[in-house]
Amino acid sequence: MPGTPDAVGDSEQDLHADLRGQLACASLHCHFRVHSRPELRGFCCVECSRCRAARHGPRCQKVLAPVRARRADPSWLPIAGEMLAARELEDALRTLAPQLALEGPERQPESILGGGLSFSNFLDVPLNHDEVGEEGARIQVFFREVILVENLTKRFDLPVLLCLPAGLGIPATRPTNCQDGWLGCALRKHKVVLMDPRGTGRSSRVAPQTLRGRTAKEQADYVQYFRADAVAGDCEAVRRRLGVEQLAVLGEGFGSLVALMFLSRFPRSVRQLLLCDGLMLAEVEGPEDICHRMYRCALRGNRWYYSRYPEDVGKVWEIVAHLEQIGGVPLADGGRLTPRRFLTLGSLLGDLAGPEVLHWLVSRAFVELRCGSVQLSTEFVMEAARATDVGAHPLLWLLGEPTYCGPRTGASRWAAHRMMSYGCLCERFDYRDALKRNEKPPILFTGGTVYPWFADDMATLASLADASEILASKVDWPPLLDVAKICDARVPITAVVDASDVRLGIGPDPLQVSKMLGDTCRVFTLEELHQQGLTEGVLDLLLTCCSSVGESCIRVVGGGNDHEFRDRVAHPLRRFTKAEMEETALRHVRHSVGEGPGWHQMYQAFQARVRLGADEDILPGGALCSGHTLSVPLDHAQPSGAHISIFFRQVVSAADAKSAALAAAFGRQAPPPPPRLLVLVGGPGAPATRPLSGSAGWLSPLLHDHRVILLDQRGTGKSTPASAQTLQGWTPEEQAAYLENFRADSIVEDCEDIRRFLEVDQWSLLGESFGGFCALTYVSKHPASISAAYLTGGLPPVFTAGPDEVYRHTYQRVIARNQLYYARYPADVAQIRAIVQHLEDKGGVLLPSRGRLTPRRFQLFGAYLGSEFGSEALHVLVEDPFVHVGGEAELDDLFLARVEAGLVFDVQPLYWLLHEAIYCGPRSGPSNWSAQRVLSADPQLLAHFDHRAALADPSAPPVFLTGEMVYPWFSEDFAALQSLGPAAQRLAAKTDWTALYDLEALRNTTVPVASHIDSEDIYVDVGLSKATAKLLGARCKVWVLDECRHSCLSDGTGAMLKKLLSMVRPEISGAAPQRHSAPVPGTSSASDGTLRGEVWRPRTSETGHLLPGLRPRFR
């Protein structure tokens, strides 16, 4: 069956026959669609009813002729049959391209998941658009044309939508999926153009590297041409290159200013403007007025944040006091995390989930060492430094204030900094004054403002300090916006703005906008979005409600009163403070019972019930989240020994919380609560997912029927951390003895302690990847505590004698995934070879964390190839890794920063320390760095991953990337792991590991198990997982899927998780189990037609047992 493990061995001839049956002639009557088979995933195919009936006619034979010639080429990359089919399909599409008017060899299409094509374009434009002629300096601007395959035949008839990104110095979005999000909405009726504004992305970059060697005056003279007016000139050049008369322009944030600038300068080139989170009238007010508005918005953001998380008042005060006392924390890149830099995290308050992210970051800022002293955690310092570093996008700092300057405003002269030095702003934002007070008042975060001291605290900006002063003192800025021309153009403008935008301060008075822009502008103030940004719902609102000239120009939508426009916005999330939530609940009680006798007593009882504690939170989307910390033994076999803490969250739907609170208020018996479900995430060494919303992602379907428990597994998150920092001062023997207690058997005993704390008889388990390993350990050791187990990408190999057998299988999967990746992105063969060659010649490159990026470390990015959109992410990473400085190529600092952030071993060392130990038991012996041994012992296997051999022979296969394997040399290349190297060696040599699974208990288990596995999973081999499923017997249902890659939780819609849950529910309820038969190839196993897969069962089913009733208790 296609997409199942049984189809892995399909012959090459069968795949070619299947391919020929689905290719079509070049008829305009062809119907295009996306293929679902894994070997063709992401590629485009076509169907023609006429050719399909005749299989393949003469015109189809003509299409396939160059494909067959390609196969006969001796330079063809030797890859497997399914990869060859994918490559043939792409070649066939390119053969069709001339007949579909896709001319130009430099614009070969690149496939995108969801049935889209992307065409890359580089355009030479003048540095200064006011200079006429070819003698002036020129730069490059990069843009992509994205179109659905089904729209290829009408490519020239589709309107063009030019999309401008949100931030100054930020490149355009990289398309990875053409079906979801705002891009999918835009592509239905448009050809979308994604432009990297000059200075960003693949356009000519502005970075400290590219400006090296120039004087400060030369740097300033160059950077001054990267404002919105110059970007607007580039938009006009893109329009001419596309050969269209008019563009629809979509601007988000800063992109809205560029869009208005484009309309002001080239009114005949614009058909309509769609603006999201931005209606900036720069120069009309000037930088001081804009900064003053941004400060006001920052005050509102701080007020909202501290009212939502009052416990963070003291935590932020302690962090700032600690940083002030030690003079800041020195960073590995040469900068410092100072109080003033830490407080710029206030820009997060402008994101949809920003307050939650800031709260999560602040809540785990400190760690306690063995000696009893307290320090800022390494993870906190790294995350805070990355979130506040603008060195990767220096244009935000250099032109952040000059963006609003013009002939009438004069120089910016660091307006935000000057405003902080006098008046009430100085009193409100002066953290030093707050530190002097004994009552620990709230210390306010700043917003999106920029300051001259960035060059002191951020090492990457130090070389641009003098240039920034020149730009801040520049007086003769050219004009930006001409409001009169915008009004005269009579171009429809539709804008969605947030009046409390912390970053940009661009919430204008709609009446003021109406007066200035006239009746062509329609403004929607959607306060309930709270900087949700550009989403599918917002874009649908903009496209649907774009005003015509003379229509009503103002529409204020807020407070949930305008249902017509609320329904157009996907998931409108109204944010509530704790006080608002409590007041809303109290009003509900008063409305329910009136003011008759006893009302006050009920009111007081309910008021006491709904008061939220410090560890409780109301999530956007309607869910109550409560945190709990338990003390558990380090070694559960010695309960009187050392103890550690574990942290977990309980997430309850708003309806569940409301019914329990109302029952308590009226003295009634609460209804039986929903069953609890414990979520165990992948790893080892990863904390639980932070719930940021109760109505989005995979958490939403769980909350319909469960109270969800999110556990920070021991050693991670807010549980007692296990890191190089917390283990400093320990001997290697002490470190190894401590860390051996962090495997699945200990995690399972922690879960039992949580279950007893919650007074729950039974609960369900959801295990993802390594979390599935823990769940099966739980099933084998405590089956009476589990009502059902759901595993996604985590049905462990319980029969293996150790990690050696696991890696022999997964190495082969990694090789196949490399082949498919290079077949899909053939240009990346040379790109990755160039990166590895550069690293080999330089002996590695120093990273900001002081670790080294070596060829072997870069090869670890093969782990991306097993995750959803991982291939796309890797392609984007290596798309443009070099910058040229002084005629020589260097790895871009932005590329190095992304590489460092892409591998988390620095902050999650347990993965390296215990990854091989999760496969060890009494019969396995020591792991002894199994992945390294297996690779070295097999010359044929080693040849695939030997980068030196690949570099030595240009005709050799490309450089293959490794997978999730760990190696002993991590302590050499990762700076944070150096102190743990001796302990890692001792763990690798440990022989007396305890058994993680009771095979006899698993064979006789009565616990229903539903498992999703990927037919080509590079992390957990499908064959070994099927062997485990046969051991579990009739109680285990396996869903083999080829569209998700490893985990159902990566599906943002929750549809796949709903399918997984439905596989066991009949058995839990005691009903006759549903019969799952393998679907016919080409049909969908899901009712909505979106999922394809096979439910595979080893034996006949048995009836399930009833879920015991849970106590009606709400904690």
Side-chain angles (χ1 to χ4, degrees), residues 339-379:
R340 58 189 181 184
R341 178 172 176 176
F342 166 71
L343 293 175
T344 60
L345 283 171
S347 60
L348 290 175
L349 300 178
D351 291 337
L352 176 63
E356 289 79 11
V357 172
L358 183 58
H359 170 67
W360 168 76
L361 186 63
V362 167
S363 65
R364 52 196 307 269
F366 292 99
V367 295
E368 184 176 355
L369 305 183
R370 188 182 190 184
C371 60
S373 63
V374 176
Q375 290 184 358
L376 289 173
S377 70
T378 302
E379 185 174 0

Side-chain angles (χ1 to χ4, degrees), residues 699-887:
L699 185 60
S700 179
L702 293 180
L703 290 177
H704 286 302
D705 303 306
H706 300 87
R707 291 181 176 179
V708 179
I709 309 299
L710 303 174
L711 169 65
D712 281 350
Q713 299 167 15
R714 52 170 54 199
T716 72
K718 295 184 72 174
S719 298
T720 300
S723 64
Q725 183 182 23
T726 59
L727 296 177
Q728 63 183 355
W730 297 35
T731 66
E733 294 80 6
E734 291 174 329
Q735 291 175 342
Y738 179 79
L739 293 168
E740 67 184 24
N741 295 293
F742 286 76
R743 293 201 308 160
D745 49 356
S746 298
I747 295 172
V748 164
E749 297 304 324
D750 295 341
C751 296
E752 275 294 277
D753 286 346
I754 295 174
R755 184 186 62 81
R756 287 188 287 267
F757 170 78
L758 294 175
E759 300 179 1
V760 175
D761 295 330
Q762 281 191 323
W763 55 7
S764 303
L765 306 177
L766 173 60
E768 177 197 23
S769 192
F770 170 71
F773 289 33
C774 297
L776 203 63
T777 300
Y778 203 165
V779 170
S780 70
K781 293 183 178 294
H782 301 283
S785 302
I786 305 168
S787 59
Y790 309 98
L791 313 180
T792 172
L795 192 55
V798 300
F799 286 113
T800 58
D804 288 17
E805 183 180 355
V806 173
Y807 289 127
R808 291 190 189 99
H809 286 81
T810 53
Y811 267 127
Q812 297 300 327
R813 300 288 184 186
V814 172
I815 291 173
R817 190 63 68 189
N818 273 271
Q819 292 167 339
L820 180 56
Y821 172 75
Y822 284 125
R824 181 174 179 191
Y825 298 111
D828 288 357
V829 173
Q831 284 286 81
I832 291 180
R833 185 185 294 271
I835 294 171
V836 175
Q837 183 69 66
H838 180 86
L839 296 174
E840 183 72 13
D841 295 342
K842 299 291 184 180
V845 175
L846 192 65
L847 292 170
S849 65
R850 297 179 184 172
R852 296 197 71 80
L853 179 60
T854 58
R856 60 188 182 184
R857 178 169 177 173
F858 178 76
Q859 285 180 285
L860 296 176
F861 277 92
Y864 274 38
L865 300 178
S867 61
E868 183 74 353
F869 302 125
S871 297
E872 291 78 12
L874 180 59
H875 173 64
V876 170
L877 178 69
V878 304
E879 194 173 43
D880 198 20
F882 293 100
V883 294
H884 294 272
V885 181

Side-chain angles (χ1 to χ4, degrees), residues 306 311-326 339 342-343 362-367 374-376 380 431 434-435 440-443 445:
Y306 283 125
E311 65 273 19
D312 285 359
V313 173
K315 293 177 181 178
V316 171
W317 194 94
E318 292 174 358
I319 294 172
V320 173
H322 182 81
L323 291 172
E324 182 71 9
Q325 181 181 2
I326 64 177
F342 166 71
L343 293 175
V362 167
S363 65
R364 52 196 307 269
F366 292 99
V367 295
V374 176
Q375 290 184 358
L376 289 173
F380 166 80
Y431 68 88
L435 293 178
K440 295 185 179 179
I443 296 179
F445 292 91

Side-chain angles (χ1 to χ4, degrees), residues 336-498:
R336 297 189 74 82
L337 181 61
T338 59
R340 58 189 181 184
R341 178 172 176 176
F342 166 71
L343 293 175
T344 60
L345 283 171
S347 60
L348 290 175
L349 300 178
D351 291 337
L352 176 63
E356 289 79 11
V357 172
L358 183 58
H359 170 67
W360 168 76
L361 186 63
V362 167
S363 65
R364 52 196 307 269
F366 292 99
V367 295
E368 184 176 355
L369 305 183
R370 188 182 190 184
C371 60
S373 63
V374 176
Q375 290 184 358
L376 289 173
S377 70
T378 302
E379 185 174 0
F380 166 80
V381 172
M382 293 179 63
E383 292 295 332
R386 287 172 182 168
T388 57
D389 187 13
V390 299
H393 309 291
L395 284 177
L396 177 63
W397 179 55
L398 295 170
L399 296 178
E401 291 185 355
T403 291
Y404 308 106
C405 293
R408 295 186 297 129
T409 63
S412 66
R413 300 191 312 277
W414 299 110
H417 185 66
R418 286 188 288 107
M419 296 176 67
M420 283 279 287
S421 303
Y422 61 84
C424 61
L425 288 178
C426 178
E427 299 175 0
R428 294 186 177 186
F429 288 93
D430 186 2
Y431 68 88
R432 291 188 176 91
D433 180 66
L435 293 178
K436 297 176 183 178
R437 303 181 187 178
N438 296 327
E439 66 273 16
K440 295 185 179 179
I443 296 179
L444 301 185
F445 292 91
T446 55
T449 45
V450 295
Y451 304 94
W453 51 261
F454 278 18
D456 301 326
D457 293 0
M458 303 175 193
T460 51
L461 298 179
S463 61
L464 303 178
D466 294 337
S468 69
E469 293 295 337
I470 297 175
L471 291 170
S473 303
K474 181 177 171 62
V475 179
D476 54 340
W477 290 106
L480 284 176
L481 288 176
D482 189 332
V483 177
K485 288 185 177 180
I486 294 177
C487 296
D488 293 341
R490 309 293 287 169
V491 172
I493 302 174
T494 307
V496 174
V497 299
D498 188 335

Side-chain angles (χ1 to χ4, degrees), residues 103-319:
E103 72 288 344
E106 75 283 357
R107 300 174 62 202
Q108 290 298 325
E110 179 181 288
S111 62
I112 306 174
L113 293 184
L117 290 178
S118 171
F119 300 84
S120 298
N121 298 266
F122 287 94
L123 183 64
D124 283 334
V125 297
L127 176 64
N128 182 5
H129 283 284
D130 294 333
E131 291 183 356
V132 181
E134 299 293 333
E135 65 278 0
R138 302 185 71 83
I139 60 174
Q140 278 193 329
V141 170
F142 172 81
F143 66 94
R144 284 182 174 88
E145 298 175 68
V146 185
I147 189 172
L148 292 178
V149 178
E150 62 188 25
N151 292 331
L152 276 175
T153 55
K154 49 184 178 181
R155 174 168 171 260
F156 294 111
D157 299 327
L158 285 175
V160 178
L161 179 64
L162 174 63
C163 301
L164 301 171
L168 176 60
I170 305 297
T173 302
R174 266 41 183 173
T176 57
N177 190 341
C178 289
Q179 290 181 334
D180 300 331
W182 68 266
L183 183 60
C185 178
L187 286 171
R188 292 167 196 161
K189 297 182 180 180
H190 297 83
K191 179 175 70 174
V192 176
V193 175
L194 304 173
M195 184 180 77
D196 285 348
R198 53 170 56 197
T200 72
R202 301 185 70 184
S203 299
S204 296
R205 285 279 314 282
V206 169
Q209 277 179 295
T210 59
L211 297 178
R212 189 188 308 156
R214 304 191 187 196
T215 65
K217 181 65 167 59
E218 292 172 335
Q219 291 174 344
D221 290 342
Y222 180 74
V223 172
Q224 67 177 336
Y225 296 113
F226 286 78
R227 291 201 313 162
D229 50 352
V231 180
D234 298 340
C235 294
E236 175 64 11
V238 169
R239 184 196 64 79
R240 291 195 297 266
R241 172 68 175 267
L242 294 173
V244 295
E245 293 184 2
Q246 287 187 322
L247 300 171
V249 184
L250 172 63
E252 179 185 8
F254 171 77
S256 67
L257 174 60
V258 179
L260 289 169
M261 188 70 235
F262 184 33
L263 175 60
S264 175
R265 292 203 164 194
F266 306 98
R268 294 187 177 182
S269 300
V270 182
R271 183 168 56 88
Q272 65 181 22
L273 285 190
L274 310 173
L275 310 179
C276 174
D277 281 353
L279 190 55
M280 295 198 288
L281 305 178
E283 191 194 348
V284 175
E285 298 171 285
E288 291 192 0
D289 291 335
I290 294 291
C291 290
H292 188 265
R293 181 184 294 162
M294 294 171 73
Y295 276 127
R296 292 204 317 267
C297 294
L299 288 172
R300 288 197 297 267
N302 277 274
R303 187 181 304 114
W304 187 93
Y305 172 71
Y306 283 125
S307 64
R308 179 176 172 86
Y309 299 110
E311 65 273 19
D312 285 359
V313 173
K315 293 177 181 178
V316 171
W317 194 94
E318 292 174 358
I319 294 172

